[in-house]
Amino acid sequence: MHRENTARPPARRSVLALVAAAGAAVLAACGVRREPGAAAPPRRYRYGDDPSQFADLYLPPGGTAVRVVVVIIHGGYWRSTYGAELGVPLAQDLAPRGYACWNLEYRRAGNGGGWPETFDDVAAGIDHLAVAAAEHGLDLRATTALGHSAGGHLAVWAAGRPTLPPGTPGAGAPVVPLAAVVSQAGVLDLAQARALGLSDDAVENLLGAPGDPDRYALADPMTAIPLAVPVYAVHGTEDTTVPPAQSEAYVAAASAAGATAELVCVPGDHFAVITPGSEAWAAVLASLEQASDPGPPDQG
């Protein structure tokens, strides 16, 4: 695994084991707890009338403190062929580690999605997390988005919502602001992806109106640089579905603009980063750890 530091160097992880051991006591004292017992099945929340407008909330097993809330946004090149089931293994792995997971579904191209519906859904779906948080006493101040592939694009786009022009999809002050993003093989440079025609012109399939540059700019995470929150871009070196150049371009541009961004190169293909137990998944976990508690700058 290779990590490239950018605008703000990340904290060292040499003491993570000690932090984890001590953190258990801190979380027990300060975190939100459920009654002891087995892990509950996820609870579904609907944020609209369409069948795809829902999110499933996974909570840690009883007695485990909630450390951070994670919004999981699945990929699939924004097409309806793929759904929130892709995020289930991630939520099932993260919940026992103390993460409350909001596995978000949204309309995709082919089932009512595209522009602006997909973007409206992601914004509304994240904001609806406030309803679940109120019911379960969840602290949303450090909410992190975890997005794979097209979901990585949507996660980084969502983090830039406060800067969108009024009247555009997702614009306005978010009800649930994102504190960080961990992108897993994200499609982070739409102009480049469009030029390459990735996945049979998936970008144009999502956005339509190929002659409307404003629409493409509003949807492109590159346009929102610099973000006010850190982005950790984890990407497999053998990924042929979304080239690593997508993450490389974003992190380079964000770094040059003074934003906090980090490129994490890991072994494996496009799906290694969403395969719990893999080396790539271990890097995702480390990035989530850093996102939730970045610590002091590394002086070494």
Side-chain angles (χ1 to χ4, degrees):
M1 180 180 71
H2 173 64
R3 308 181 76 93
E4 292 188 9
N5 300 338
T6 55
R8 186 180 67 183
R12 292 186 184 276
R13 295 193 179 84
S14 59
V15 295
L16 279 182
L18 293 176
V19 170
V26 175
L27 290 169
C30 302
V32 177
R33 303 181 69 89
R34 298 177 57 235
E35 291 301 316
R43 177 176 172 184
R44 180 156 296 185
Y45 289 80
R46 294 196 173 274
Y47 61 89
D49 296 330
D50 189 272
S52 292
Q53 293 176 314
F54 70 85
D56 290 331
L57 177 67
Y58 292 74
L59 292 173
T64 301
V66 176
R67 53 191 303 176
V68 167
V69 179
V70 175
V71 177
I72 298 173
I73 309 178
H74 72 83
Y77 269 118
W78 310 282
R79 293 188 172 103
S80 59
T81 309
Y82 307 94
E85 68 276 359
L86 291 174
V88 171
L90 284 61
Q92 291 175 335
D93 186 85
L94 290 172
R97 300 176 188 273
Y99 294 96
C101 297
W102 186 248
N103 189 27
L104 180 62
E105 186 59 285
Y106 53 92
R107 288 173 289 177
R108 289 89 67 208
N111 74 337
W115 179 273
E117 292 83 5
T118 294
F119 299 85
D120 287 337
D121 281 6
V122 170
I126 294 174
D127 284 347
H128 198 72
L129 175 56
V131 174
E135 292 182 3
H136 296 279
L138 301 175
D139 186 345
L140 298 180
R141 288 176 294 178
T143 300
T144 299
L146 175 66
H148 175 240
S149 193
H153 157 259
L154 293 169
V156 177
W157 170 84
R161 286 175 57 199
T163 65
L164 291 171
T168 60
V175 176
V176 179
L178 295 175
V181 177
V182 177
S183 168
Q184 304 160 286
V187 187
L188 303 185
D189 185 340
L190 285 197
Q192 180 192 83
R194 183 187 184 191
L196 293 173
L198 293 182
S199 188
D200 296 325
D201 297 315
V203 174
E204 290 196 9
N205 186 55
L206 169 72
L207 297 176
D212 185 350
D214 290 340
R215 177 182 299 189
Y216 282 77
L218 287 169
D220 196 338
M222 297 288 282
T223 306
I225 289 173
L227 290 182
V229 303
V231 174
Y232 304 89
V234 185
H235 217 120
T237 56
E238 302 162 46
D239 193 336
T240 58
T241 303
V242 176
Q246 284 282 303
S247 291
E248 293 166 359
Y250 180 86
V251 170
S255 176
T260 299
E262 182 177 339
L263 176 64
V264 185
C265 301
V266 296
D269 61 12
H270 188 60
F271 298 100
V273 290
I274 57 168
T275 303
S278 69
E279 183 177 344
W281 179 246
V284 171
L285 293 175
S287 293
L288 281 172
E289 179 81 26
Q290 187 174 340
S292 61
D293 183 16
D298 186 352
Q299 302 298 321

